[in-house]
Amino acid sequence: MNRLPQFAPIQRLHGHLRGSLKTETAFLRRQNTRLNFSCLTASQSTPAGSPRCYGEIIASRGTHSVLEQQLCKKKNLNWYPQRSFSAVASPSTSDSTPLDGPEGAALLQGLDIHKVPAEDDGHPLAVYTVVGDKKIDDNEQQKQRTPVLLLHGRTWSSVPVYHLIGGENNESSKGGENRSLIQALYNTEHIQPYAMDFRGFGGTPKDESGFVEPLRCVSDVVSVLNWIHEKHNMEGSGSQRPALLGWSHGALIAQITAQRHSDVLSKLILYGSMYNSNMKYPISNPSGKSEPYNKGHTDHDDFPLHEMTSRNEYDGAMEDFTIGSDEARIFAPAKLFAQVALVCDPLKMQWWNLHELNECHPSLVKVPTMVIAGDQDPYAPMQTQAELFTNLGKGVDRVWSIIANADHAVHLSDERHRFVENVDNFLETRGW
């Protein structure tokens, strides 16, 4: 049974470009893309001095001139850019996101959505949380909930990662497909979860640079942590600082936040951390050129420079589900995640200045910390997790939790209840 019929087009469109120009144009419109495209065939004449073919494709998360050239090639058209293409969307589309459309809005059921301004430049940051029945929210138990901020990884934003088909009125949840970590943490009755999107991901628009940088993410995380703290103080929830949880590459951002700004958080959870002491990112070009030496690259091979504005793909969204390999591809939540992820993040976001991640040094973490991962996580193997845990700063408590029969996405697996229980126990332990 297809529980999400509205996502059927995504299944047909993943992978490389295919189909007619009409089909690709329809895809761009479905992906919240403004299209201004005009071409002449090679046999058609043009006024003197005018280009034979010009076009502009500006997506909500960046330009796609490579796609434009491929569309022209399919129709035997010449391609001439009217102007140079940049990674920054035009002003008319810079504030739009994939979640603004009807498909994106359908994924937000059960969430309260806030736009939190960054403290340094006022950029709007999408923050999601859950609020239950007001009659319950007003009691003393609600006031004692521990706030925790969840950070997503390098490719997919918070809605597919942390609120996969949530919402009590969602038909999929009635069928047992609800995999929302936000709701699961809230249902513990001890935790008030929040999740945010980095710039250019999900519901947070790109900034003027058009890129995302680690220390920029850290600064934005501090802004949101301060906002959560102030919000809970105003509601009489106490003066306890929020906890911080980061998954995958988001765990690196969380770790640097804890190292630099230990005063803004109470506890740290490094979940499936990509920490590796042997991984060192290149610094900026020593020749002094203005462009970063590592522009457009990450430590993975699926972000080559020539794909800086390429589309995310279905197969890429399945990478975190590795147990059983072939079985993982028919695992219903994995397929559901891939469909939802492509709606929320249709284009790959480009990271700059990844050498900033070299700041990750476990010995500089001075807050109570949990290291947690699946025992079969290929991206966070036991050896690197052991090194991370062992070298955490002295003088503070720490917990290492290994979830059996789980891979990188423990919280979306059948072992998710044990994950939630472990996180709940760690956050609720007083005196740490």
Side-chain angles (χ1 to χ4, degrees), residues 11-84:
Q11 293 176 321
R12 296 195 300 270
L13 289 165
H14 76 268
H16 295 289
L17 294 171
R18 53 182 177 274
S20 65
L21 177 62
K22 180 178 180 181
T23 300
E24 300 300 342
T25 301
F27 164 77
L28 290 171
R29 288 176 179 144
R30 280 195 293 275
Q31 296 302 316
N32 194 23
T33 303
R34 179 168 63 84
L35 181 64
N36 176 15
F37 197 81
S38 176
C39 283
L40 298 173
T41 62
S43 61
Q44 290 177 288
S45 60
T46 60
S50 63
R52 183 174 295 277
C53 170
Y54 65 90
E56 178 180 337
I57 296 179
I58 301 182
S60 60
R61 296 191 54 213
T63 58
H64 219 313
S65 58
V66 174
L67 173 60
E68 181 183 23
Q69 295 179 60
Q70 294 185 13
L71 295 182
C72 282
K73 184 177 180 180
K74 287 184 179 182
K75 288 298 182 180
N76 192 28
L77 304 173
N78 293 326
W79 179 82
Y80 298 92
Q82 189 179 27
R83 61 174 179 81
S84 60

Side-chain angles (χ1 to χ4, degrees), residues 85-399:
F85 290 86
S86 72
V88 183
S90 68
S92 63
T93 61
S94 60
D95 291 334
S96 63
T97 73
L99 296 182
D100 294 333
E103 288 183 343
L107 302 173
L108 301 177
Q109 291 186 31
L111 292 177
D112 270 13
I113 307 165
H114 302 268
K115 291 292 185 179
V116 177
E119 292 177 346
D120 55 353
D121 64 357
H123 191 79
L125 307 170
V127 178
Y128 314 93
T129 189
V130 173
V131 175
D133 191 316
K134 293 298 181 182
K135 296 179 181 179
I136 300 176
D137 289 345
D138 290 338
N139 66 25
E140 203 63 31
Q141 184 183 58
Q142 171 65 19
K143 291 182 179 180
Q144 295 177 358
R145 286 178 179 264
T146 301
V148 58
L149 176 61
L150 314 179
L151 306 182
H152 62 76
R154 66 180 173 88
T155 307
W156 310 111
S157 56
S158 285
V159 170
V161 170
Y162 294 127
H163 193 63
L164 184 59
I165 312 304
E168 294 183 0
N169 297 324
N170 194 292
E171 293 182 2
S172 293
S173 67
K174 296 178 181 178
E177 294 297 338
N178 187 327
R179 302 273 166 156
S180 171
L181 180 61
I182 294 178
Q183 284 191 330
L185 292 174
Y186 183 85
N187 289 342
T188 64
E189 300 183 352
H190 305 135
I191 300 172
Q192 183 61 53
Y194 297 83
M196 67 175 289
D197 285 334
F198 298 140
R199 300 187 184 205
F201 288 87
T204 297
K206 285 184 176 182
D207 60 17
E208 292 182 355
S209 73
F211 296 89
V212 61
E213 301 175 79
L215 292 186
R216 163 58 67 188
C217 292
V218 169
S219 176
D220 289 343
V221 169
V222 172
S223 295
V224 175
L225 287 171
N226 286 334
W227 175 83
I228 293 172
H229 181 58
E230 293 173 5
K231 179 176 183 292
H232 279 249
N233 273 342
M234 291 177 60
E235 295 173 352
S237 302
S239 59
Q240 181 184 10
R241 281 285 180 175
L244 182 61
L245 180 153
W247 178 49
S248 193
H249 276 76
L252 303 181
I253 302 300
Q255 182 177 331
I256 295 176
T257 303
Q259 293 176 188
R260 284 180 161 231
H261 308 278
S262 61
D263 57 320
V264 302
L265 68 152
S266 59
K267 295 182 180 181
L268 175 66
I269 301 175
L270 302 176
Y271 164 35
S273 174
M274 301 294 288
Y275 172 78
N276 186 335
S277 61
N278 295 320
M279 172 61 67
K280 298 299 179 185
Y281 298 87
I283 61 176
S284 299
N285 194 339
S287 66
K289 293 183 178 179
S290 60
E291 289 193 353
Y293 178 71
N294 59 325
K295 175 180 176 181
H297 290 278
T298 71
D299 57 325
H300 290 267
D301 293 334
D302 58 342
F303 273 72
L305 188 61
H306 68 277
E307 291 187 359
M308 286 182 62
T309 55
S310 63
R311 281 165 39 194
N312 275 315
E313 298 181 357
Y314 185 91
D315 287 345
M318 298 287 285
E319 288 179 351
D320 294 325
F321 303 88
T322 55
I323 287 185
S325 189
D326 292 338
E327 291 82 355
R329 301 193 65 80
I330 61 175
F331 182 50
K335 295 192 292 184
L336 195 59
F337 175 82
Q339 294 174 7
V340 172
L342 291 176
V343 171
C344 298
D345 301 285
L347 299 179
K348 290 181 178 179
M349 189 60 192
Q350 299 87 54
W351 289 80
W352 265 22
N353 293 330
L354 288 178
H355 65 275
E356 295 171 351
L357 293 176
N358 296 339
E359 281 195 25
C360 286
H361 293 288
S363 63
L364 300 179
V365 175
K366 303 294 186 180
V367 297
T369 302
M370 165 181 268
V371 175
I372 184 169
D375 68 335
Q376 299 179 49
D377 186 342
Y379 308 114
M382 201 76 68
Q383 181 178 358
T384 60
Q385 299 301 289
E387 181 181 4
L388 171 61
F389 177 79
T390 303
N391 291 304
L392 288 170
K394 309 300 182 184
V396 292
D397 291 316
R398 69 190 80 176
V399 175

